[in-house]
mmCIF file of all heavy atoms in Angstrom:
data_model
loop_
_atom_site.group_PDB
_atom_site.id
_atom_site.type_symbol
_atom_site.label_atom_id
_atom_site.label_comp_id
_atom_site.label_asym_id
_atom_site.label_seq_id
_atom_site.Cartn_x
_atom_site.Cartn_y
_atom_site.Cartn_z
ATOM 1 N N GLY A 101 6.729 -18.311 6.137
ATOM 2 C CA GLY A 101 6.503 -18.297 7.583
ATOM 3 C C GLY A 101 6.219 -16.935 8.191
ATOM 4 O O GLY A 101 6.035 -16.842 9.402
ATOM 5 N N PHE A 102 6.174 -15.876 7.371
ATOM 6 C CA PHE A 102 5.936 -14.534 7.919
ATOM 7 C C PHE A 102 4.785 -13.813 7.226
ATOM 8 O O PHE A 102 4.631 -13.902 6.005
ATOM 9 C CB PHE A 102 7.218 -13.690 7.851
ATOM 10 C CG PHE A 102 8.195 -14.095 8.916
ATOM 11 C CD1 PHE A 102 9.081 -15.141 8.699
ATOM 12 C CD2 PHE A 102 8.186 -13.473 10.156
ATOM 13 C CE1 PHE A 102 9.952 -15.552 9.697
ATOM 14 C CE2 PHE A 102 9.058 -13.878 11.152
ATOM 15 C CZ PHE A 102 9.944 -14.918 10.927
ATOM 16 N N TYR A 103 4.031 -13.093 8.049
ATOM 17 C CA TYR A 103 2.817 -12.407 7.592
ATOM 18 C C TYR A 103 3.049 -10.913 7.367
ATOM 19 O O TYR A 103 3.857 -10.283 8.059
ATOM 20 C CB TYR A 103 1.723 -12.513 8.664
ATOM 21 C CG TYR A 103 1.116 -13.885 8.803
ATOM 22 C CD1 TYR A 103 1.699 -14.835 9.641
ATOM 23 C CD2 TYR A 103 -0.039 -14.219 8.120
ATOM 24 C CE1 TYR A 103 1.135 -16.097 9.795
ATOM 25 C CE2 TYR A 103 -0.616 -15.476 8.259
ATOM 26 C CZ TYR A 103 -0.026 -16.405 9.102
ATOM 27 O OH TYR A 103 -0.586 -17.647 9.243
ATOM 28 N N ALA A 104 2.273 -10.364 6.425
ATOM 29 C CA ALA A 104 2.090 -8.914 6.315
ATOM 30 C C ALA A 104 0.589 -8.680 6.165
ATOM 31 O O ALA A 104 -0.127 -9.525 5.613
ATOM 32 C CB ALA A 104 2.843 -8.344 5.127
ATOM 33 N N ASP A 105 0.109 -7.543 6.634
ATOM 34 C CA ASP A 105 -1.331 -7.269 6.719
ATOM 35 C C ASP A 105 -1.537 -5.790 6.404
ATOM 36 O O ASP A 105 -0.804 -4.936 6.944
ATOM 37 C CB ASP A 105 -1.759 -7.598 8.167
ATOM 38 C CG ASP A 105 -3.253 -7.535 8.424
ATOM 39 O OD1 ASP A 105 -4.030 -7.373 7.475
ATOM 40 O OD2 ASP A 105 -3.625 -7.664 9.614
ATOM 41 N N ALA A 106 -2.487 -5.470 5.530
ATOM 42 C CA ALA A 106 -2.747 -4.064 5.208
ATOM 43 C C ALA A 106 -4.176 -3.887 4.728
ATOM 44 O O ALA A 106 -4.825 -4.853 4.285
ATOM 45 C CB ALA A 106 -1.784 -3.555 4.137
ATOM 46 N N THR A 107 -4.664 -2.665 4.825
ATOM 47 C CA THR A 107 -6.021 -2.323 4.376
ATOM 48 C C THR A 107 -5.995 -0.974 3.679
ATOM 49 O O THR A 107 -5.317 -0.048 4.148
ATOM 50 C CB THR A 107 -6.983 -2.217 5.578
ATOM 51 O OG1 THR A 107 -6.921 -3.418 6.344
ATOM 52 C CG2 THR A 107 -8.418 -1.971 5.119
ATOM 53 N N ARG A 108 -6.728 -0.882 2.574
ATOM 54 C CA ARG A 108 -6.962 0.414 1.932
ATOM 55 C C ARG A 108 -8.465 0.570 1.720
ATOM 56 O O ARG A 108 -9.128 -0.390 1.315
ATOM 57 C CB ARG A 108 -6.268 0.495 0.568
ATOM 58 C CG ARG A 108 -4.741 0.416 0.661
ATOM 59 C CD ARG A 108 -4.143 1.690 1.269
ATOM 60 N NE ARG A 108 -2.690 1.642 1.350
ATOM 61 C CZ ARG A 108 -1.990 1.317 2.450
ATOM 62 N NH1 ARG A 108 -2.620 0.971 3.572
ATOM 63 N NH2 ARG A 108 -0.680 1.336 2.445
ATOM 64 N N THR A 109 -8.983 1.764 1.973
ATOM 65 C CA THR A 109 -10.384 2.034 1.651
ATOM 66 C C THR A 109 -10.420 2.924 0.413
ATOM 67 O O THR A 109 -9.757 3.969 0.378
ATOM 68 C CB THR A 109 -11.122 2.680 2.834
ATOM 69 O OG1 THR A 109 -11.134 1.749 3.923
ATOM 70 C CG2 THR A 109 -12.565 3.011 2.465
ATOM 71 N N TYR A 110 -11.152 2.464 -0.609
ATOM 72 C CA TYR A 110 -11.201 3.138 -1.911
ATOM 73 C C TYR A 110 -12.561 3.799 -2.139
ATOM 74 O O TYR A 110 -13.598 3.204 -1.821
ATOM 75 C CB TYR A 110 -10.988 2.127 -3.037
ATOM 76 C CG TYR A 110 -9.653 1.426 -2.991
ATOM 77 C CD1 TYR A 110 -9.541 0.139 -2.483
ATOM 78 C CD2 TYR A 110 -8.503 2.058 -3.458
ATOM 79 C CE1 TYR A 110 -8.318 -0.517 -2.447
ATOM 80 C CE2 TYR A 110 -7.275 1.416 -3.422
ATOM 81 C CZ TYR A 110 -7.189 0.135 -2.917
ATOM 82 O OH TYR A 110 -5.975 -0.511 -2.877
ATOM 83 N N PRO A 111 -12.555 4.986 -2.751
ATOM 84 C CA PRO A 111 -13.816 5.548 -3.232
ATOM 85 C C PRO A 111 -14.175 4.866 -4.555
ATOM 86 O O PRO A 111 -13.296 4.556 -5.355
ATOM 87 C CB PRO A 111 -13.464 7.032 -3.456
ATOM 88 C CG PRO A 111 -11.990 7.064 -3.696
ATOM 89 C CD PRO A 111 -11.384 5.851 -3.031
ATOM 90 N N VAL A 112 -15.453 4.604 -4.778
ATOM 91 C CA VAL A 112 -15.914 4.024 -6.043
ATOM 92 C C VAL A 112 -16.513 5.158 -6.872
ATOM 93 O O VAL A 112 -17.556 5.700 -6.512
ATOM 94 C CB VAL A 112 -16.954 2.915 -5.799
ATOM 95 C CG1 VAL A 112 -17.384 2.296 -7.131
ATOM 96 C CG2 VAL A 112 -16.412 1.848 -4.849
ATOM 97 N N GLY A 113 -15.823 5.540 -7.941
ATOM 98 C CA GLY A 113 -16.265 6.701 -8.734
ATOM 99 C C GLY A 113 -16.273 7.954 -7.867
ATOM 100 O O GLY A 113 -15.411 8.126 -7.000
ATOM 101 N N GLU A 114 -17.240 8.813 -8.130
ATOM 102 C CA GLU A 114 -17.373 10.048 -7.343
ATOM 103 C C GLU A 114 -18.078 9.717 -6.033
ATOM 104 O O GLU A 114 -19.132 9.069 -6.060
ATOM 105 C CB GLU A 114 -18.203 11.077 -8.116
ATOM 106 C CG GLU A 114 -17.445 11.791 -9.216
ATOM 107 C CD GLU A 114 -16.284 12.625 -8.680
ATOM 108 O OE1 GLU A 114 -16.500 13.411 -7.727
ATOM 109 O OE2 GLU A 114 -15.164 12.465 -9.202
ATOM 110 N N VAL A 115 -17.519 10.168 -4.909
ATOM 111 C CA VAL A 115 -18.184 9.926 -3.624
ATOM 112 C C VAL A 115 -18.579 11.259 -2.993
ATOM 113 O O VAL A 115 -18.101 12.320 -3.411
ATOM 114 C CB VAL A 115 -17.303 9.111 -2.646
ATOM 115 C CG1 VAL A 115 -16.953 7.754 -3.252
ATOM 116 C CG2 VAL A 115 -16.036 9.867 -2.265
ATOM 117 N N SER A 116 -19.456 11.184 -1.985
ATOM 118 C CA SER A 116 -19.936 12.397 -1.310
ATOM 119 C C SER A 116 -18.778 13.111 -0.611
ATOM 120 O O SER A 116 -17.755 12.503 -0.295
ATOM 121 C CB SER A 116 -21.004 12.027 -0.272
ATOM 122 O OG SER A 116 -20.400 11.273 0.773
ATOM 123 N N GLU A 117 -19.008 14.378 -0.342
ATOM 124 C CA GLU A 117 -18.046 15.170 0.433
ATOM 125 C C GLU A 117 -17.811 14.514 1.804
ATOM 126 O O GLU A 117 -16.682 14.449 2.298
ATOM 127 C CB GLU A 117 -18.626 16.582 0.594
ATOM 128 C CG GLU A 117 -17.708 17.578 1.286
ATOM 129 C CD GLU A 117 -16.391 17.782 0.554
ATOM 130 O OE1 GLU A 117 -16.380 17.689 -0.699
ATOM 131 O OE2 GLU A 117 -15.369 17.997 1.245
ATOM 132 N N GLU A 118 -18.910 14.010 2.393
ATOM 133 C CA GLU A 118 -18.806 13.354 3.710
ATOM 134 C C GLU A 118 -17.872 12.146 3.647
ATOM 135 O O GLU A 118 -17.013 11.951 4.518
ATOM 136 C CB GLU A 118 -20.205 12.905 4.171
ATOM 137 C CG GLU A 118 -20.207 12.260 5.550
ATOM 138 C CD GLU A 118 -21.475 11.472 5.865
ATOM 139 O OE1 GLU A 118 -22.056 10.846 4.954
ATOM 140 O OE2 GLU A 118 -21.872 11.488 7.053
ATOM 141 N N ALA A 119 -18.022 11.337 2.603
ATOM 142 C CA ALA A 119 -17.188 10.133 2.464
ATOM 143 C C ALA A 119 -15.727 10.531 2.237
ATOM 144 O O ALA A 119 -14.807 9.951 2.821
ATOM 145 C CB ALA A 119 -17.695 9.273 1.310
ATOM 146 N N ARG A 120 -15.526 11.523 1.380
ATOM 147 C CA ARG A 120 -14.162 11.989 1.068
ATOM 148 C C ARG A 120 -13.438 12.432 2.337
ATOM 149 O O ARG A 120 -12.280 12.115 2.584
ATOM 150 C CB ARG A 120 -14.288 13.146 0.065
ATOM 151 C CG ARG A 120 -13.024 13.666 -0.544
ATOM 152 C CD ARG A 120 -12.407 12.698 -1.535
ATOM 153 N NE ARG A 120 -11.260 12.035 -0.933
ATOM 154 C CZ ARG A 120 -10.620 10.999 -1.455
ATOM 155 N NH1 ARG A 120 -11.019 10.462 -2.594
ATOM 156 N NH2 ARG A 120 -9.585 10.476 -0.844
ATOM 157 N N ARG A 121 -14.173 13.215 3.149
ATOM 158 C CA ARG A 121 -13.599 13.733 4.384
ATOM 159 C C ARG A 121 -13.237 12.599 5.353
ATOM 160 O O ARG A 121 -12.196 12.617 5.999
ATOM 161 C CB ARG A 121 -14.614 14.679 5.059
ATOM 162 C CG ARG A 121 -14.074 16.066 5.383
ATOM 163 C CD ARG A 121 -15.187 16.990 5.846
ATOM 164 N NE ARG A 121 -15.896 16.485 7.032
ATOM 165 C CZ ARG A 121 -15.558 16.767 8.291
ATOM 166 N NH1 ARG A 121 -14.508 17.534 8.539
ATOM 167 N NH2 ARG A 121 -16.251 16.282 9.303
ATOM 168 N N LEU A 122 -14.138 11.612 5.428
ATOM 169 C CA LEU A 122 -13.871 10.465 6.318
ATOM 170 C C LEU A 122 -12.625 9.702 5.856
ATOM 171 O O LEU A 122 -11.790 9.300 6.686
ATOM 172 C CB LEU A 122 -15.088 9.525 6.339
ATOM 173 C CG LEU A 122 -14.913 8.257 7.184
ATOM 174 C CD1 LEU A 122 -14.766 8.589 8.669
ATOM 175 C CD2 LEU A 122 -16.076 7.289 6.961
ATOM 176 N N LEU A 123 -12.482 9.513 4.542
ATOM 177 C CA LEU A 123 -11.285 8.833 4.021
ATOM 178 C C LEU A 123 -10.036 9.631 4.402
ATOM 179 O O LEU A 123 -9.036 9.062 4.860
ATOM 180 C CB LEU A 123 -11.355 8.700 2.492
ATOM 181 C CG LEU A 123 -12.430 7.779 1.906
ATOM 182 C CD1 LEU A 123 -12.441 7.888 0.382
ATOM 183 C CD2 LEU A 123 -12.205 6.336 2.311
ATOM 184 N N ASP A 124 -10.082 10.946 4.197
ATOM 185 C CA ASP A 124 -8.908 11.789 4.481
ATOM 186 C C ASP A 124 -8.533 11.736 5.962
ATOM 187 O O ASP A 124 -7.362 11.567 6.309
ATOM 188 C CB ASP A 124 -9.186 13.249 4.086
ATOM 189 C CG ASP A 124 -9.240 13.446 2.576
ATOM 190 O OD1 ASP A 124 -8.827 12.519 1.844
ATOM 191 O OD2 ASP A 124 -9.712 14.507 2.134
ATOM 192 N N VAL A 125 -9.530 11.877 6.826
ATOM 193 C CA VAL A 125 -9.243 11.944 8.262
ATOM 194 C C VAL A 125 -8.738 10.590 8.772
ATOM 195 O O VAL A 125 -7.825 10.533 9.605
ATOM 196 C CB VAL A 125 -10.493 12.420 9.047
ATOM 197 C CG1 VAL A 125 -10.291 12.269 10.553
ATOM 198 C CG2 VAL A 125 -10.805 13.882 8.690
ATOM 199 N N THR A 126 -9.289 9.499 8.250
ATOM 200 C CA THR A 126 -8.837 8.179 8.701
ATOM 201 C C THR A 126 -7.390 7.928 8.248
ATOM 202 O O THR A 126 -6.562 7.397 8.998
ATOM 203 C CB THR A 126 -9.766 7.070 8.180
ATOM 204 O OG1 THR A 126 -11.111 7.395 8.539
ATOM 205 C CG2 THR A 126 -9.401 5.715 8.767
ATOM 206 N N TRP A 127 -7.088 8.344 7.017
ATOM 207 C CA TRP A 127 -5.702 8.212 6.526
ATOM 208 C C TRP A 127 -4.751 9.044 7.384
ATOM 209 O O TRP A 127 -3.676 8.577 7.785
ATOM 210 C CB TRP A 127 -5.620 8.637 5.054
ATOM 211 C CG TRP A 127 -4.242 8.505 4.492
ATOM 212 C CD1 TRP A 127 -3.329 9.497 4.296
ATOM 213 C CD2 TRP A 127 -3.601 7.294 4.085
ATOM 214 N NE1 TRP A 127 -2.170 8.987 3.778
ATOM 215 C CE2 TRP A 127 -2.304 7.647 3.638
ATOM 216 C CE3 TRP A 127 -3.994 5.951 4.051
ATOM 217 C CZ2 TRP A 127 -1.385 6.686 3.165
ATOM 218 C CZ3 TRP A 127 -3.085 5.004 3.568
ATOM 219 C CH2 TRP A 127 -1.807 5.376 3.142
ATOM 220 N N GLU A 128 -5.157 10.280 7.679
ATOM 221 C CA GLU A 128 -4.318 11.143 8.521
ATOM 222 C C GLU A 128 -4.116 10.510 9.903
ATOM 223 O O GLU A 128 -3.019 10.575 10.471
ATOM 224 C CB GLU A 128 -4.973 12.517 8.695
ATOM 225 C CG GLU A 128 -4.982 13.373 7.425
ATOM 226 C CD GLU A 128 -6.053 14.462 7.442
ATOM 227 O OE1 GLU A 128 -6.669 14.707 8.516
ATOM 228 O OE2 GLU A 128 -6.288 15.054 6.374
ATOM 229 N N ALA A 129 -5.168 9.896 10.444
ATOM 230 C CA ALA A 129 -5.059 9.250 11.765
ATOM 231 C C ALA A 129 -4.034 8.116 11.708
ATOM 232 O O ALA A 129 -3.219 7.953 12.629
ATOM 233 C CB ALA A 129 -6.422 8.725 12.207
ATOM 234 N N LEU A 130 -4.057 7.339 10.610
ATOM 235 C CA LEU A 130 -3.059 6.272 10.456
ATOM 236 C C LEU A 130 -1.650 6.867 10.393
ATOM 237 O O LEU A 130 -0.721 6.374 11.052
ATOM 238 C CB LEU A 130 -3.357 5.453 9.193
ATOM 239 C CG LEU A 130 -2.297 4.406 8.829
ATOM 240 C CD1 LEU A 130 -2.141 3.351 9.927
ATOM 241 C CD2 LEU A 130 -2.647 3.722 7.500
#
Side-chain angles (χ1 to χ4, degrees):
F102 284 86
Y103 288 87
D105 187 8
T107 306
R108 296 289 181 262
T109 297
Y110 299 101
V112 182
E114 282 297 310
V115 300
S116 67
E117 185 60 32
E118 182 196 35
R120 188 71 256 170
R121 234 171 58 91
L122 177 65
L123 293 174
D124 289 347
V125 170
T126 307
W127 181 259
E128 290 158 11
L130 173 62

